[in-house]
Amino acid sequence: MSRARTFPLPIRQLLAWMLALIASVMLAAAGHAQEVPVEARYGDENIAVQLFADGAPNAGEEWMLALRFTPRSEEWHGYWSNPGDAGQGMRLTLDLPAGWAMGEPLYPVPQRLTISGLMNHIYEGTYTVLVPVKVGPDADLMDVGPITGHVEYLACTDKICVPQDAVLASRQNGDFARWRAEVAPPLSARANFDIGSRVLRLAIPLPASVALDNPHIFIANENLVDYAAPQTFRRVGDVLTVDIPLAEYRADTPSAVEGIIAFGEGTGVEFGAIPGDVPTGGEIVAGPVGMATPPLWTLILGALAGGLLLNIMPCVFPILSLKALSLARAGESEAKARAEGLAYTAGVVLACVGLGALLLALRAAGEQVGWAFQLQEPGVVVALLVLAAAITANFAGLFELPSLSVTSGGKPAGAFATGLLAAFVATPCTGPFMAAALGAALLLPVPQALLLFALLGLGLALPFLLLGFIPALRRMLPRPGPWMERFRRIMAIPMGLTALALIWLTAQLGGRAFGGIALLLVIGVLIALWIVGRLRQAGKLAWPAFGLVAAPFLAFAAIALPSVYEAKGAEARESIHNPQAFSAEALAAARASGQPVFLWFTADWCVTCKVNESVAIEREAVRDAFEEAGVVTMVGDWTVRDEAITQFLTQQGAAGVPLYLWYAPGASAPEQLPQVLTPDLLVAQADQSLGRPRPTGPAAGSD
C-alpha cells in the first residue's frame, strides 16, 4: 500500500519534520539506558502497546512474545525497523533471565507513505511485532513470572511526531495464530545481490506463478538505497530481479542485504541476500516503464499507424522500387491483384510476427536484444548485401530471373517473397507511433505482444492490400506498358545505393578486411547470376552453372569472413559536439555536474538515425546553442549488440533506435524527444535550459 500526500504550507511541513527529528533524537538519547526503567518517560497515549506471551516457555526452545500496537485514532501511524527517509524504529529492552536471548523482531509487511518526496515505511491501524526469545537450556522455569521490559518508539501523523514509550509486563491470551500469519514469512531460498556504481540489483527466487499486483522492496539496511526512487522488477524464469537506485550518500557495501518484498495488498515475504550473480534481461513486470504501459487499444493503433508510416520513412525507401513496380502491374487482372495483395500482406505479417517471436524468445532466454537485432549480426548483413546487389543487377537488366521479376508474369509467390523482404529491411526504422507500441511489446504477455507485431506488419502492407482489393485505386495507376521496363532500370539506382550502404555497414561491423571479402562474395554471386541469365536466354540448363561459379566464392567467404572479423568496440562517434561514449557511470557523472545532458542512441544501420544526425544534430547552430548552454553531449552506438545499451533502452520503454533523451539540470527523469528531430527543436531545448522561453510556433510544433 502506498500513500502520497502534499500540503500547501511548507512552513507547516518543515515544522512537522523538525519535530520528528527532535523526537528521534530524544529516543536515541533515551536508548542508551540498558536497564528497564521503573516508569515510562513519555507514555503511550497516541499508540498504546501491550506485551503478550505465547503460553509457557520450554527449556532450550524458542518462545514467542508479541508487541501489539494500537493507535488511538486512524491518523496516527508507527514505523518499520527501517523507517525510511524520516521517523524512528522501535527500541526494545527485555528483562530476561540469565542464559536467555532475544532474537530479531518479526514485522508485518509495511506500507509506504510519501510526503514531499520523502518515503517512510509505516504501519497504519493496529499491528503486531513478534519477538522470538531463545530460552536457555538449563532454565529454571518454576520461578519464571511475567516478562518485563521497556519499549521506545515514535508515533506520527502527517503534521506532528511525538516519542512514545511504555514499561511492559507480559500477559497471556494473545491471538498468536493470527499474528504469526500477519508477519512476513521468511523466504526459504537464498537471494543474491550485486551493487554497481548507481544501483542495487537483487535476484530473488520466486516462482513465476506468484502474482505481483503492486510490488515493492523494503530494504532493512539503512542508508543503502534511495527509498523514494522507482524500482524496476523483471522476471527471468522463476527468478525475480529488482533494480533499486542507491542512496546518494550510501553506507559502505554490506556483506548481506535483508528486507521484505511486498507483493501488494499487504502480502509479501522476508528475504536475505548475499553477494552473487544477478541475471540480466527478462520481462519487465513492474517499474517506471511497466506501470506506465498505455492501454492496449492505443498500442494497437500505434502499431498499425507506425507500420503505415513506415511506407514513407527513409529507411524503407530502398524497397519502394519493388512495391512501386508490383503495384503498377496490379491493374492487369483483378483476381491477380487480390492474390498478390494477400500474398504480399501474408509475407509482411509473417516476417514481423516471426521477428517479434524470435525477439521475445531471445529476451526470455536472457539475451539483451532489441528491435532490428538481426542487423547487429554481421552474417545477416552480408546476406542482405548479396540480396540487395542481386536485386540491383536484376533491375539494371544484367540478368532476368522469374523469382525476381516484377514487371511481367507476377505470381503470389513473388509477392509473398517481396513482403518478407519489405518487413525484414524495414525493421531498422521505428516511426513516431511505433516507439510506444514496440517498447510495450517487450513488457506485455506474449499473445498481446505478437498481436502488436502482426498489426505492425498489417500497417506496413496496408497500401498494397488496398490497391489489390479496390479497383478504383488501381485505375489511378498508369497502365502497364514499355515504360515499366525503363522504370525498373531507374529503380536500380536506389537499390544500388542501398547495396553500397550495406557494403559500408559490413566494414563498420567487422572491419575493412571483412567488408572487402563481403564485396568479393557479391562479385562472385553476380557473375554466377549473369551466367545463369545468359544460359536461360539461350534455353539451356542454368542452375548447375550457378553452383559451379558461386561455390568457390561462397566457400572462401565462409572461411575468410570469420577469421578477419574485428568486433567493433564501444567508442564515441565522430561529431562536431565531441560527445562522450555512453555508459551508466558516464551518464551519472554528467548529470551530477548540474549541466543539461543530451543523450542520443544511434546505429550505422538505422537510416532514420543518420537522417536525424545530418539534418538536426550535426548542425553548427545546434553546436553553438549547446556550447552556450553548457550541454553535455553523450552518444550510445548500438550498431553491434551492447547489453548495457539494450537494457537502458528497455528501461526507457524503447525497443530500438533512434532514442533521444534530454536531462534538464536537477530533473529526476529525462524528457524523451521525438524520433524525428529538427535543429529548431534542439536549439529550443538549449535555450530553455538558459531560462529563455520555449518557442510555441513551428519550431515547437516539430515535437
Side-chain angles (χ1 to χ4, degrees), residues 110-152:
Q111 301 159 308
R112 288 171 281 165
L113 171 62
T114 304
I115 299 179
S116 299
L118 298 176
M119 170 77 76
N120 296 330
H121 307 147
I122 68 166
Y123 295 104
E124 293 180 318
T126 302
Y127 64 98
T128 304
V129 178
L130 298 183
V131 182
V133 173
K134 181 65 176 178
V135 180
D138 301 323
D140 182 5
L141 304 179
M142 297 299 295
D143 297 330
V144 175
I147 297 297
T148 58
H150 179 250
V151 62
E152 300 167 340

Side-chain angles (χ1 to χ4, degrees), residues 230-245:
Q231 301 177 352
T232 304
F233 294 78
R234 293 181 178 85
R235 288 253 192 223
V236 183
D238 287 329
V239 175
L240 183 71
T241 66
V242 190
D243 293 352
I244 309 175

Side-chain angles (χ1 to χ4, degrees), residues 120-422:
N120 296 330
H121 307 147
I122 68 166
Y123 295 104
E124 293 180 318
T126 302
Y127 64 98
T128 304
V129 178
L130 298 183
V131 182
V133 173
K134 181 65 176 178
V135 180
D138 301 323
D140 182 5
L141 304 179
M142 297 299 295
D143 297 330
V144 175
I147 297 297
T148 58
H150 179 250
V151 62
E152 300 167 340
Y153 51 100
L154 202 60
C156 293
T157 70
D158 293 334
K159 302 178 181 64
I160 191 171
C161 288
V162 294
Q164 302 276 268
D165 73 335
V167 175
L168 305 170
S170 64
R171 63 183 68 182
Q172 300 293 325
N173 302 321
D175 192 354
F176 277 85
R178 179 164 66 91
W179 296 342
R180 281 189 170 92
E182 290 176 348
V183 301
L187 186 67
S188 58
R190 184 193 68 190
N192 290 342
F193 78 90
D194 178 66
I195 293 183
S197 61
R198 301 290 296 177
V199 67
L200 166 69
R201 303 195 67 237
L202 294 167
I204 303 175
L206 194 69
S209 58
V210 175
L212 300 175
D213 296 329
N214 185 20
H216 185 81
I217 297 288
F218 294 92
I219 298 296
N221 307 63
E222 295 190 2
N223 303 319
L224 177 61
V225 300
D226 184 345
Y227 303 117
Q231 301 177 352
T232 304
F233 294 78
R234 293 181 178 85
R235 288 253 192 223
V236 183
D238 287 329
V239 175
L240 183 71
T241 66
V242 190
D243 293 352
I244 309 175
L246 294 171
E248 184 175 359
Y249 303 103
R250 66 180 178 89
D252 294 335
T253 300
S255 59
V257 172
E258 298 178 339
I260 291 177
I261 172 172
F263 305 147
E265 299 299 329
T267 61
V269 294
E270 187 180 43
F271 69 89
I274 63 174
D277 294 333
V278 178
T280 59
E283 176 187 0
I284 293 184
V285 294
V289 174
M291 291 188 293
T293 301
L296 182 60
W297 69 269
T298 63
L299 297 175
I300 289 174
L301 292 178
L304 191 63
L308 185 62
L309 284 180
L310 277 181
N311 289 277
I312 60 173
M313 293 293 286
C315 59
V316 188
F317 183 75
I319 64 168
L320 291 182
S321 54
L322 294 173
K323 298 173 66 176
L325 293 175
S326 298
L327 294 177
R329 183 171 42 79
E332 295 179 358
S333 164
E334 183 172 341
K336 184 183 294 185
R338 291 183 177 181
E340 289 199 29
L342 290 174
Y344 177 84
T345 302
V348 172
V349 173
L350 180 62
C352 289
V353 172
L355 287 171
L358 181 58
L359 169 63
L360 296 176
L362 290 173
R363 292 181 68 88
E367 295 288 333
Q368 289 292 320
V369 294
W371 187 243
F373 65 94
Q374 72 278 8
L375 296 178
Q376 296 173 324
E377 300 296 332
V380 175
V381 175
V382 170
L384 278 176
L385 168 60
V386 173
L387 181 60
I391 295 174
T392 301
N394 174 257
F395 279 16
L398 182 65
F399 65 92
E400 184 71 38
L401 296 177
S403 58
L404 293 176
S405 176
V406 293
T407 58
S408 62
K411 296 180 180 179
F416 179 81
T418 303
L420 290 174
L421 177 64

Side-chain angles (χ1 to χ4, degrees), residues 302 306 309 313 430-436 674-676:
L309 284 180
M313 293 293 286
T430 52
F433 296 103
M434 288 173 56
Q675 289 189 322
V676 178

Side-chain angles (χ1 to χ4, degrees), residues 411-606:
K411 296 180 180 179
F416 179 81
T418 303
L420 290 174
L421 177 64
F424 195 76
V425 177
T427 50
C429 265
T430 52
F433 296 103
M434 288 173 56
L438 290 181
L442 304 182
L443 316 176
L444 294 172
V446 172
Q448 296 180 14
L450 293 180
L451 173 62
L452 293 182
F453 287 119
L455 289 170
L456 170 64
L458 179 60
L460 178 60
L462 191 57
F464 192 84
L465 183 64
L466 292 176
L467 280 167
F469 277 82
I470 302 178
L473 293 178
R474 293 199 304 276
R475 286 194 291 269
M476 297 173 63
L477 296 173
R479 296 179 62 84
W483 69 270
M484 296 182 67
E485 187 65 27
R486 294 192 297 270
F487 183 70
R488 185 181 77 162
R489 296 187 189 282
I490 294 174
M491 287 297 100
I493 297 175
M495 286 306 302
L497 294 175
T498 301
L500 290 175
L502 288 170
I503 292 175
W504 174 79
L505 180 57
T506 56
Q508 292 294 106
L509 285 172
R512 292 184 178 180
F514 187 87
I517 294 175
L519 180 58
L520 182 62
L521 173 62
V522 169
I523 293 173
V525 171
L526 291 182
I527 292 173
L529 288 173
W530 177 76
I531 293 174
V532 168
R534 296 300 295 267
L535 290 175
R536 286 182 63 87
Q537 288 178 356
K540 297 179 180 180
L541 188 62
W543 289 112
F546 176 85
L548 290 174
V549 176
F553 291 93
L554 292 170
F556 174 73
I559 297 172
L561 285 174
S563 63
V564 301
Y565 174 72
E566 299 177 3
K568 183 176 182 178
E571 57 184 16
R573 301 172 71 91
E574 293 184 3
S575 168
I576 63 175
H577 299 285
N578 296 318
Q580 304 176 36
F582 166 79
S583 69
E585 294 76 13
L587 178 59
R591 296 184 63 188
S593 69
Q595 298 173 273
V597 179
F598 176 57
L599 168 61
W600 78 93
F601 293 91
T602 183
D604 288 335
W605 39 260
C606 173

